[in-house]
Amino acid sequence: MAEKEKVLIVDDDENIAELVSLYLTKECFECRIANDGETALKDAAAFHPDLILLDLMLPGMDGYEVCREIRHKSNVPIIMLSAKGEVFDKVLGLEMGADDYIIKPFDSKELVARCKAVLRRFQVTEKPAEEKPAARPQKYVEYPDLSVNLTNYAVICRGRTIDMPPKEIELLYFLASQPNQVFTREQLLDHIWGYEYVGDTRTVDVHIKRIREKIGETEHWAVTTIWSVGYKFEVRN
């Protein structure tokens, strides 16, 4: 029997936390609840969740700080939960390393669907070698001073392994595998986040910004903005 996927629920409102746990347990997830940031960090290390639902308004260490601390050590998908619906709060959450942002109050079916969608995108489970097709194609692109391997979710830039969450790697790979082709923000949302994602195109801008901060550009290539249109991975002669 396959192991249940594990979800760490971080919320200081015990009623909401228990309700979310009930929803997800019915969908065959294994859940653990933490009611403050310090406990969340300890549980993230001990429980090894596949997904973290993280409330922003926590006593002591807030959700932004918890997210930042987790991102120093792990790429586990994080969905932020918040009553704050302003664009600034969403963008800040994404810049801290969150993978999605759900505004309270939320519908239970939407919450479950978003959890499943995030896990489908980011859960990379290696099968035993004997179960893999002998000629499994490698999802891999390489340029001078840059290689992006989507098979094992690895990015190497200028000889150094770059720490990136799965979503950033998927976005970089998608652009780099189709050099010099321009994609609108809407197209990138569809390809990387999927039709289930409920969000705006600022999500793409935030992730492009983080990618650029980590890999920069060279005389051979760059992630280029096409103003009023979108982005492309530009290969330079």
Side-chain angles (χ1 to χ4, degrees):
M1 181 181 295
E3 292 186 4
K4 292 182 178 180
E5 291 175 306
K6 297 187 289 187
V7 180
L8 176 59
I9 303 162
V10 186
D11 200 312
D12 64 329
D13 188 321
E14 295 183 8
N15 292 328
I16 291 178
E18 290 290 348
L19 193 59
V20 171
S21 179
L22 179 62
Y23 294 149
L24 294 176
T25 299
K26 286 183 178 180
E27 296 292 327
C28 297
F29 290 98
E30 179 182 350
C31 298
R32 180 178 293 190
I33 295 172
N35 297 125
D36 60 75
E38 294 288 348
T39 303
L41 293 179
K42 293 177 182 177
D43 285 349
F47 185 50
H48 302 295
D50 299 295
L51 173 68
I52 297 176
L53 296 178
L54 178 60
D55 184 40
L56 291 182
M57 304 301 290
L58 297 172
M61 179 183 293
D62 67 19
Y64 293 120
E65 292 178 88
V66 174
C67 182
R68 183 167 52 240
E69 288 298 317
I70 290 173
R71 276 291 169 260
H72 287 324
K73 303 174 182 178
S74 172
N75 287 331
V76 59
I78 296 173
I79 298 179
M80 285 187 169
L81 307 177
S82 177
K84 297 181 178 181
E86 298 298 323
V87 170
F88 170 80
D89 297 303
K90 295 179 184 179
V91 171
L92 180 58
L94 293 169
E95 287 182 334
M96 289 292 181
D99 298 287
D100 203 348
Y101 191 106
I102 300 178
I103 300 172
K104 295 180 179 181
F106 45 77
D107 179 81
S108 61
K109 292 181 179 180
E110 179 188 355
L111 174 66
V112 171
R114 299 274 278 271
C115 289
K116 290 181 176 179
V118 166
L119 285 167
R120 279 199 300 271
R121 292 194 300 268
F122 305 124
Q123 185 78 27
V124 183
T125 304
E126 287 293 328
K127 296 181 180 179
E130 63 271 18
E131 294 182 15
K132 294 181 180 180
R136 182 181 176 182
Q138 294 282 316
K139 293 184 177 180
Y140 179 84
V141 292
E142 185 172 13
Y143 297 94
D145 292 324
L146 178 69
S147 65
V148 185
N149 191 330
L150 199 60
T151 302
N152 62 5
Y153 279 67
V155 175
I156 298 175
C157 183
R158 301 176 183 87
R160 183 168 58 92
T161 299
I162 306 299
D163 186 24
M164 284 189 182
K167 192 179 299 183
E168 290 178 23
I169 296 176
E170 291 174 5
L171 180 56
L172 177 58
Y173 174 82
F174 181 78
L175 291 170
S177 63
Q178 301 174 81
N180 297 322
Q181 183 171 340
V182 179
F183 294 95
T184 67
R185 292 168 176 82
E186 290 78 9
Q187 288 174 322
L188 293 173
L189 274 177
D190 288 342
H191 281 288
I192 307 304
W193 282 263
Y195 70 91
E196 295 141 323
Y197 180 78
V198 181
D200 59 37
T201 56
R202 293 174 186 266
T203 299
V204 176
D205 298 334
V206 169
H207 284 76
I208 290 289
K209 177 185 175 184
R210 293 209 301 249
I211 290 171
R212 285 171 169 162
E213 289 173 348
K214 293 175 181 178
I215 67 171
E217 63 178 272
T218 72
E219 62 181 1
H220 302 290
W221 50 261
V223 178
T224 303
T225 301
I226 308 301
W227 298 109
S228 301
V229 180
Y231 299 98
K232 71 175 180 178
F233 186 86
E234 179 183 359
V235 177
R236 300 164 172 171
N237 295 327

